[in-house]
Amino acid sequence: MDRRRQLTSLALFLIFGLASTCAQGLFDANRKARQAFDAAYAAQKSGQLDKAIAGYQKALELDAGFYAANNNLGFLYTKQKKHALAAEQFKKATESAPELAEHHANLASAYLELGLADKAIGSLKEAIRREPKKHGYHYNLALAHER
């Protein structure tokens, strides 16, 4: 019976010890991703768009599900008239945080710039489903139907 307890203790140590090591690694990656995001946001606010883009990309390398970085990167690509890249980032933001209507609306805007009215309409309908009282989404949906 002592041998069984020893093996059980060893197994629990390995499971929880490795889990805490993995959790620490995840925490460190998230902290570094947040630092990269904060630096990118500061660069964006000061007009250093290339530096901001590089910072958001770094944040996403460290945390692929960092939807705020996807959203902000999409915004910067929109400013540069790189609408296909913007749509890609907004799409990733909707996949990481589908509950946020703003991401669906941003994706719709990129789709409209690309001439993809049907996709824009679908994204706007999703934005409205998630935030039905946002009048701007309804207005943009009406505009999308006109295209």
Side-chain angles (χ1 to χ4, degrees):
M1 194 67 163
D2 287 327
R3 178 81 174 141
R4 189 173 185 184
R5 279 189 194 151
Q6 288 174 338
L7 290 175
T8 302
S9 295
L10 178 61
L12 289 173
F13 170 77
L14 289 174
I15 291 169
F16 291 113
L18 290 176
S20 68
T21 301
C22 291
Q24 182 62 40
L26 181 61
F27 177 76
D28 289 343
N30 288 341
R31 185 170 23 127
K32 289 178 182 177
R34 183 64 200 201
Q35 289 170 343
F37 177 89
D38 290 343
Y41 187 74
Q44 178 181 342
K45 288 297 181 189
S46 68
Q48 300 172 29
L49 300 188
D50 289 336
K51 186 175 179 181
I53 287 170
Y56 290 132
Q57 289 170 336
K58 179 67 175 173
L60 290 165
E61 286 173 19
L62 295 166
D63 182 355
F66 200 156
Y67 61 84
N70 288 121
N71 193 61
N72 289 11
L73 189 54
F75 174 75
L76 292 179
Y77 285 145
T78 298
K79 285 185 76 149
Q80 294 181 334
K81 308 287 188 217
K82 296 178 181 178
H83 301 295
L85 291 173
E88 183 181 320
Q89 293 304 314
F90 293 138
K91 178 75 172 152
K92 288 178 181 179
T94 64
E95 291 166 355
S96 295
E99 70 281 1
L100 297 177
E102 175 188 357
H103 297 162
H104 295 280
N106 291 343
L107 179 58
S109 295
Y111 282 152
L112 285 174
E113 291 294 335
L114 293 169
L116 302 171
D118 288 341
K119 285 188 170 191
I121 289 167
S123 291
L124 285 165
K125 286 181 178 180
E126 184 62 24
I128 291 168
R129 187 178 79 74
R130 297 192 178 276
E131 202 172 332
K133 294 183 180 182
K134 186 94 174 208
H135 299 292
Y137 298 160
H138 293 276
Y139 177 76
N140 289 342
L141 180 60
L143 292 178
H145 278 290
E146 289 180 2
R147 291 193 179 193

